[in-house]
Amino acid sequence: MKAYRVHITSWTASFRYPNLISGYQPSLTVPPLSTIYGLISSAAGDYVSPHDIALGYVFRFDSQAIDVETIYQFNIKSSPLTTKQNVIRRQILFDNDLWLYLHDSWIAEVFLKPQFQLLLGRSNDLASVISVEEIELEQIDELTRLKGTIIPMGVIPLSAPIQALPIGFTNEIPRRSIGTRPFFLLEYDYDQPEAIHESGYFDLELSYEIYWHDYREG
């Protein structure tokens, strides 16, 4: 099957845990789907939702560390507006690679000239596009070596962390989460204990199995 592979890198990345607002800020070790669709929307310069396109991805990082960061907290109830400094510990992922797989050629092409800056997390986690390639993916009927991605929690138990994550957010203020559900987080060095009897794809060149996320309506 013809597909498009977009290779994106960044020096740093940080993917916020849901519902953690203050204190220590850990990072998810795999980007959620909402981050991936936000990345696509930034490249396209327009809102792209999980209901528009299907995709797969593989993410890896070389190392991680805890850093100390100064933040500024605003008191919106005071008049005039007041701020204060605080110091928090934040988990940061270093030397990151993201391989994004797409069916849609027009989505792949927007990464050649992104309309807005690409981020893998916060505003200072700047990302760069290394390549956009047309490739062949082999369809497979069983997934045995998934890693560096997330998959919906299903009937097969996996020894992997579980998080309730949205597949995306609405394009309105305030934004609302779309399709929150439990996902397994499979790190890049994940060793899958048993096969998942679902179809997916195989990247012959990089030897990656790809779980295909398809939430299109209709």
Side-chain angles (χ1 to χ4, degrees), residues 137-205:
L137 292 179
E138 177 185 339
Q139 187 162 5
I140 53 179
D141 297 325
E142 190 175 73
L143 299 165
T144 60
R145 292 187 290 137
L146 285 173
K147 59 182 180 179
T149 193
I150 67 173
I151 62 171
M153 185 178 174
V155 295
I156 298 214
L158 296 177
S159 56
I162 300 171
Q163 278 288 338
L165 301 170
I167 61 173
F169 287 91
T170 59
N171 188 29
E172 60 187 7
I173 302 299
R175 296 186 302 162
R176 294 179 294 105
S177 61
I178 300 172
T180 299
R181 63 196 67 186
F183 285 93
F184 287 114
L185 277 66
L186 311 182
E187 290 190 33
Y188 186 76
D189 59 355
Y190 181 71
D191 186 11
Q192 188 176 324
E194 64 179 292
I196 299 174
H197 301 291
E198 290 191 29
S199 61
Y201 296 99
F202 184 66
D203 184 335
L204 296 170
E205 181 182 351

Side-chain angles (χ1 to χ4, degrees), residues 32-97:
L33 278 166
S34 56
T35 294
I36 302 299
Y37 282 103
L39 192 71
I40 294 171
S41 297
S42 292
D46 198 4
Y47 177 62
V48 179
S49 85
H51 301 314
D52 296 323
I53 64 168
L55 55 81
Y57 65 96
V58 176
F59 175 81
R60 66 166 295 172
F61 62 92
D62 283 345
S63 61
Q64 57 181 304
I66 307 299
D67 199 4
V68 177
E69 182 179 75
T70 300
I71 63 171
Y72 295 88
Q73 297 173 308
F74 293 85
N75 184 356
I76 61 175
K77 295 182 179 180
S78 66
S79 182
L81 186 69
T82 60
T83 64
K84 68 175 182 178
Q85 291 186 1
N86 201 351
V87 176
I88 64 169
R89 295 183 304 130
R90 184 184 297 276
Q91 181 183 7
I92 301 175
L93 312 178
F94 293 96
D95 293 332
N96 309 281
D97 289 278

Side-chain angles (χ1 to χ4, degrees), residues 40 43-45 105-115:
I40 294 171
S105 60
W106 72 272
I107 290 291
E109 289 170 0
V110 301
F111 283 96
L112 296 172
K113 293 184 178 180
Q115 296 298 303

